[in-house]
Amino acid sequence: MKSTSISHLFFFKVTSLLVLVLLFHFPRISHAQTIEDLKKDLVELSSKPGYESDTLYLNKGNELGFMLAESNPDSAIHFLDKQIQLCREANYKKGESEALKIYGNALQNKGEFVASIEYYTNSLSIAKASSNENLVPGILNNIGLVYYNLGNYTEALNNFFDAIKGAETAGNLNVKAAALNNIALIYFEQEKFEEAKSKYQEMLGIYKDLGNQGRQILAYNNIGDVELRQNRPVEALKNLKIGYASALDLQSPEFIEMTARTMADIYAAMDSTEKAEDLYRRSIAIAEEKGYGVPYSHSLLGLAELYYKKGNLEEASVIANQGLEQAEKMGQTTQLRNANELLAKIYEEEGNYQEALNKYKSFKLFNDSINTAQGQRLAANLESEYEFSKKTLEFEKANLRQRWLTFSAFAGLFTFLIILFLVFRNRNKLDKAYHSLKEKNVEIKHKNEKLENTVDQLKLTQAQLIQSEKMASLGELTAGIAHEIQNPLNFVNNFSDLNKELLQELKEEVASGNLDEIKAIANDVIINEEKINHHGRRADSIVKGMLEHSRTNSSDKVLTDINELADEYLRLSYHGIRAKDKNFNAEFKLDLDPDLPQVNVVPSDIGRVILNLVNNAFYAVSEKAKSGSNNDRDEGYQPTVTVSSKTNENGIVISVQDNGNGIPKHIKDKIFQPFFTTKPTGSGTGLGLSLSYDIVKGHGGELTFESKEGKGTEFKILLKM
């Protein structure tokens, strides 16, 4: 999977205000003309007595609130406060539900997602209580968008699919198309690009049939966005030019902003930085003027990315921090992730490593909350459920038509008593079938609950084991690093104490005027200071090395010296085990090919694989050394672990070999299985080799082993060049 970066904004621009306009069902026409016309209509209607309770007046007010919510959310909120009160005083439930929903739209357009939930929930309750089911699908779709923007894809998908089912029942094609678009957004986020494009094209077909030009713009924009992520920028630009021209024709600020922002991403991908910068600035200007929170943050980060690529780090940092500030105001997870990642890269480039590390940690936190497999599984399940319900409905309709034709054909041939008898008999059968089906449903529900409980327990156990494995690896690394850094620190302390004594002697010799002795002591102090400096630099290099690891702990592949990596993690493993077990004693050898070429890998991941294999090797020789019954011990057994590297026709081979007891034949097929371990309870999780196998496979390589019982084991990592 491609690493998360600011280029991922190709998706997130679709999550802006321009997605939110899909929620509404009012006709799409020119903003300036519509708002002015609606204001005139309201003034005219307000001249009539009792206009406050006139449903025509209240409906016109909701239409005006809707248009304001799209073009000027702050004005809409001020207007809708009064509109909601008028609907309540008139006891006009439909109007009140609609006004509350529009209020939620305005809050969403401002980026105030959490606040909008309350208004949508109240709107939904009123719609259901007043049996106005036609309003329900649109409100569900809006609630789904709130959860989507907050990063809760599970709740978002539930609401989107419920909205589609309700829209099909009510015949509301606008809401169905809107929900299709929103489901496609999540497919896009999960990099299911073909599925996302299919949903967007289905949405485009609906809006073409409805003649809705504004929504067609959105569809062209989103299809282009998918094609850009599929590395087809020329095709993407064709779709965006169609959408941008239509947006200018409509004079619609939100569609102009959206298409300008997406075209900026395309030009940025094509290295047309001047065009991209101009379009980003257009988007920022419109979003800032209209109060579109999410687009404003998106385009700020896109512009900051351009400056970063051009090497203008100071300007990039200022703009990226503006984008982060806007994302923090909204609590928008995806934008918080992207802003922190870009700032981490900028600070690292500037040499501000501590701040870069802080931003990277924030990026990792938000990224992990987004990339969850739960949303993907739920999407597949709900999609299947949706398709199944459609087929079931079609079958029932066809079955009903067939029964009616059969009944009509034979109605004239049978008497009323025969018909009555058949109806009575069929009714008894249906009752029995119904009761049987009901019992089976109860049984299935009970089994599903048991399965869900089992799955939850397995997930919890898996999470605990993985955490245990991570903490064990961290402990080993920490102990090794502590041992590595202790030696230079001891030298620094010892020579510092020695200099203190020499300087005291120097003061005494100065007092006695012994110039030769003063010179000799001064020379000794200088020599000691050089040693302090040397060992201080050694400690500094260790710290810098660890900082370098923290900076490169990402999913980016870089050219890496495998020999250096193997040497470092072998020593870390040895010192880590020595720090935990003072009685541990073993030899380790390095047989590294000096001409080994560098290879593109994720250093922290391959380092973890080497660490796991070396830890297992040291454990194997230690166990054999502790055993008092083996023949090798009687002959002077020396525990030895050898790490070597070489090249062959397939790539680079890293070998970790030990002379331990070897792997028994009956468990050789199990050692790469998750949670399988031969260590005593509490000594291992059984995830080390499984995770190592997956990491090497993820690099396109192979992890194999050869073992002889009583002789030892050799693991080989093949990395293809």
Side-chain angles (χ1 to χ4, degrees):
M1 183 177 286
K2 184 179 178 182
S3 65
T4 306
S5 66
I6 295 300
S7 65
H8 212 65
L9 287 173
F10 297 150
F11 161 67
F12 291 118
K13 61 179 173 293
V14 188
T15 69
S16 65
L17 165 74
L18 308 172
V19 175
L20 302 181
V21 298
L22 287 169
L23 311 172
F24 316 124
H25 61 267
F26 292 114
R28 177 85 198 161
I29 41 182
S30 169
H31 275 286
Q33 180 184 1
T34 302
I35 291 174
E36 291 305 316
D37 288 347
L38 286 171
K39 286 181 178 179
K40 289 177 182 178
D41 290 344
L42 287 173
V43 170
E44 182 179 343
L45 289 170
S46 65
S47 63
K48 300 177 181 179
Y51 72 90
E52 298 94 336
S53 59
D54 185 356
T55 56
L56 178 60
Y57 175 83
L58 296 174
N59 287 337
K60 286 287 184 182
N62 281 342
E63 290 183 36
L64 176 59
F66 162 74
M67 299 307 297
L68 289 173
E70 286 195 16
S71 60
N72 194 330
D74 289 323
S75 297
I77 288 172
H78 179 73
F79 173 80
L80 287 166
D81 281 327
K82 181 180 178 182
Q83 182 69 13
I84 292 169
Q85 187 60 35
L86 287 174
C87 289
R88 286 173 178 168
E89 290 174 357
N91 197 28
Y92 183 33
K93 295 299 183 181
K94 178 182 177 183
E96 181 184 354
S97 176
E98 190 66 52
L100 287 166
K101 184 182 77 169
I102 298 168
Y103 201 114
N105 297 344
L107 290 173
Q108 277 222 70
N109 288 348
K110 283 172 62 65
E112 298 178 11
F113 304 115
V114 176
S116 67
I117 292 178
E118 178 183 353
Y119 287 88
Y120 286 139
T121 303
N122 291 339
S123 174
L124 183 64
S125 298
I126 294 171
K128 288 182 176 180
S130 59
S131 300
N132 197 339
E133 294 297 326
N134 288 335
L135 292 177
V136 171
I139 302 170
L140 289 171
N141 187 52
N142 291 18
I143 294 173
L145 270 174
V146 175
Y147 286 116
Y148 167 77
N149 279 291
L150 292 174
N152 188 342
Y153 296 160
T154 302
E155 286 299 324
L157 284 167
N158 273 323
N159 282 280
F160 291 151
F161 277 101
D162 286 345
I164 287 179
K165 292 176 184 178
E168 287 182 337
T169 302
N172 191 332
L173 294 179
N174 274 303
V175 172
K176 178 182 178 181
L180 284 170
N181 174 81
N182 299 333
I183 293 168
L185 296 183
I186 296 180
Y187 285 153
F188 192 109
E189 165 71 4
Q190 296 167 347
E191 298 190 359
K192 297 178 180 178
F193 298 126
E194 287 302 324
E195 291 91 332
K197 185 190 287 187
S198 174
K199 290 283 189 267
Y200 287 141
Q201 288 170 340
E202 186 177 353
M203 176 186 77
L204 177 61
I206 292 174
Y207 285 136
K208 282 183 176 180
D209 292 340
L210 294 173
N212 191 325
Q213 185 179 0
R215 303 303 188 265
Q216 290 178 50
I217 294 171
L218 184 62
Y220 281 119
N221 178 86
N222 294 357
I223 292 171
D225 205 11
V226 174
E227 289 170 336
L228 178 57
R229 286 297 305 280
Q230 291 179 316
N231 200 25
R232 296 203 290 262
V234 176
E235 292 84 347
L237 194 58
K238 289 179 182 178
N239 281 291
L240 261 298
K241 285 182 176 179
I242 295 172
Y244 188 62
S246 294
L248 292 173
D249 181 53
L250 278 180
Q251 285 298 298
S252 169
E254 66 271 23
F255 287 125
I256 294 173
E257 185 278 326
M258 172 183 67
T259 50
R261 180 160 33 94
T262 308
M263 280 202 296
D265 288 333
I266 296 172
Y267 282 123
M270 298 171 71
D271 293 327
S272 297
T273 54
E274 291 183 3
K275 292 181 180 179
E277 181 175 351
D278 177 63
L279 289 165
Y280 276 135
R281 292 195 180 277
R282 289 187 201 178
S283 166
I284 291 169
I286 295 173
E288 189 172 22
E289 176 189 355
K290 299 296 183 182
Y292 302 154
V294 179
Y296 182 55
S297 176
H298 286 178
S299 292
L300 282 172
L301 294 177
L303 184 60
E305 176 80 1
L306 287 181
Y307 280 115
Y308 168 74
K309 289 180 178 178
K310 291 193 294 185
N312 190 343
L313 301 180
E314 183 177 356
E315 188 71 18
S317 178
V318 171
I319 298 173
N321 273 296
Q322 291 175 354
L324 176 61
E325 182 180 355
Q326 177 63 30
E328 287 173 340
K329 287 180 182 178
M330 299 181 297
Q332 221 279 354
T333 309
T334 53
Q335 291 310 300
L336 287 169
R337 175 189 69 178
N338 296 337
N340 278 289
E341 182 189 23
L342 177 56
L343 284 167
K345 293 194 294 184
I346 293 171
Y347 288 137
E348 182 179 4
E349 198 75 23
E350 291 176 338
N352 189 349
Y353 300 125
Q354 183 58 49
E355 194 60 26
L357 180 60
N358 292 338
K359 295 300 180 186
Y360 176 76
K361 288 179 179 177
S362 297
F363 153 72
K364 194 72 171 63
L365 178 66
F366 292 117
N367 188 56
D368 288 345
S369 71
I370 291 172
N371 294 328
T372 172
Q374 182 183 12
Q376 297 182 25
R377 290 194 298 272
L378 182 61
N381 292 339
L382 291 176
E383 178 76 23
S384 300
E385 180 187 344
Y386 167 61
E387 294 297 332
F388 177 77
S389 66
K390 286 203 303 185
K391 292 177 181 177
T392 301
L393 184 60
E394 291 170 0
F395 174 80
E396 289 175 351
K397 288 180 179 178
N399 202 23
L400 183 61
R401 287 196 299 269
Q402 184 63 36
R403 288 181 181 179
W404 175 251
L405 290 174
T406 303
F407 172 79
S408 300
F410 286 94
L413 302 176
F414 295 93
T415 65
F416 175 77
L417 291 176
I418 296 175
I419 293 173
L420 184 62
F421 171 75
L422 291 174
V423 170
F424 179 76
R425 186 180 64 180
N426 288 337
R427 182 176 179 180
N428 286 338
K429 287 183 177 180
L430 286 173
D431 286 342
K432 291 179 181 178
Y434 170 76
H435 289 298
S436 175
L437 183 60
K438 188 175 181 181
E439 290 174 359
K440 288 181 180 179
N441 284 338
V442 171
E443 182 182 351
I444 291 171
K445 183 179 179 182
H446 181 65
K447 290 181 179 179
N448 285 342
E449 289 175 352
K450 284 186 176 180
L451 286 173
E452 288 173 0
N453 290 335
T454 303
V455 170
D456 289 341
Q457 289 293 331
L458 287 173
K459 286 180 180 178
L460 179 61
T461 303
Q462 185 181 28
Q464 291 172 342
L465 287 172
I466 291 174
Q467 182 64 22
S468 174
E469 177 71 18
K470 288 181 178 178
M471 294 307 295
S473 296
L474 178 61
E476 291 162 359
L477 281 172
T478 303
I481 295 162
H483 191 279
E484 281 284 297
I485 206 170
Q486 188 63 48
N487 287 335
L489 288 178
N490 286 340
F491 278 112
V492 169
N493 292 333
N494 292 339
F495 283 116
S496 294
D497 292 339
L498 186 57
N499 273 359
K500 183 177 178 181
E501 296 174 3
L502 288 173
L503 290 173
Q504 186 63 37
E505 292 179 14
L506 183 63
K507 288 173 64 178
E508 295 173 359
E509 296 299 333
V510 168
S512 63
N514 190 344
L515 185 60
D516 292 337
E517 189 64 26
I518 290 171
K519 290 180 180 179
I521 293 174
N523 287 333
D524 289 342
V525 171
I526 292 171
I527 292 170
N528 288 346
E529 284 298 322
E530 289 175 351
K531 292 179 179 179
I532 290 172
N533 182 265
H534 169 75
H535 291 292
R537 290 181 181 277
R538 169 60 183 154
D540 181 60
S541 69
I542 294 171
V543 173
K544 285 182 178 178
M546 292 313 300
L547 288 175
E548 184 66 25
H549 277 294
S550 69
R551 290 197 302 274
T552 57
N553 187 20
S554 70
S555 57
D556 292 331
K557 292 183 178 180
V558 296
L559 279 174
T560 303
D561 186 336
I562 296 298
N563 285 344
E564 182 179 335
L565 202 66
D567 184 11
E568 179 178 2
Y569 279 95
L570 172 61
R571 296 180 189 279
L572 284 175
S573 174
Y574 177 78
H575 292 308
I577 295 173
R578 285 278 295 169
K580 291 191 297 183
D581 183 3
K582 299 301 182 183
N583 296 322
F584 173 77
N585 186 31
E587 286 188 2
F588 61 84
K589 299 179 181 179
L590 284 167
D591 182 15
L592 305 176
D593 182 356
D595 299 323
L596 196 73
Q598 292 188 340
V599 62
N600 261 318
V601 296
V602 180
S604 59
D605 286 351
I606 296 301
R608 184 177 181 183
V609 173
I610 295 173
L611 183 66
N612 276 330
L613 297 181
V614 173
N615 283 345
N616 288 345
F618 277 131
Y619 178 81
V621 299
S622 176
E623 288 298 301
K624 186 171 182 178
K626 291 176 183 178
S627 172
S629 61
N630 63 76
N631 295 327
D632 287 333
R633 182 176 179 85
D634 298 335
E635 298 172 4
Y637 171 67
Q638 178 58 52
T640 305
V641 173
T642 304
V643 177
S644 61
S645 65
K646 64 180 180 179
T647 58
N648 62 20
E649 65 276 9
N650 296 319
I652 290 176
V653 178
I654 309 159
S655 169
V656 178
Q657 186 175 11
D658 66 72
N659 62 345
N661 285 320
I663 300 172
K665 185 176 181 180
H666 68 278
I667 66 169
K668 285 185 177 181
D669 294 337
K670 301 178 181 179
I671 65 169
F672 289 129
Q673 292 178 5
F675 312 117
F676 177 78
T677 180
T678 59
K679 296 178 182 178
T681 303
S683 299
T685 63
L687 288 173
L689 285 176
S690 174
L691 291 173
S692 298
Y693 185 85
D694 290 340
I695 289 170
V696 175
K697 280 291 183 183
H699 281 73
E702 296 178 6
L703 177 59
T704 58
F705 73 95
E706 296 177 1
S707 183
K708 293 182 179 179
E709 289 192 55
K711 298 297 182 182
T713 303
E714 181 180 13
F715 280 87
K716 292 182 179 180
I717 306 167
L718 171 62
L719 297 174
K720 298 179 181 179
M721 293 184 291

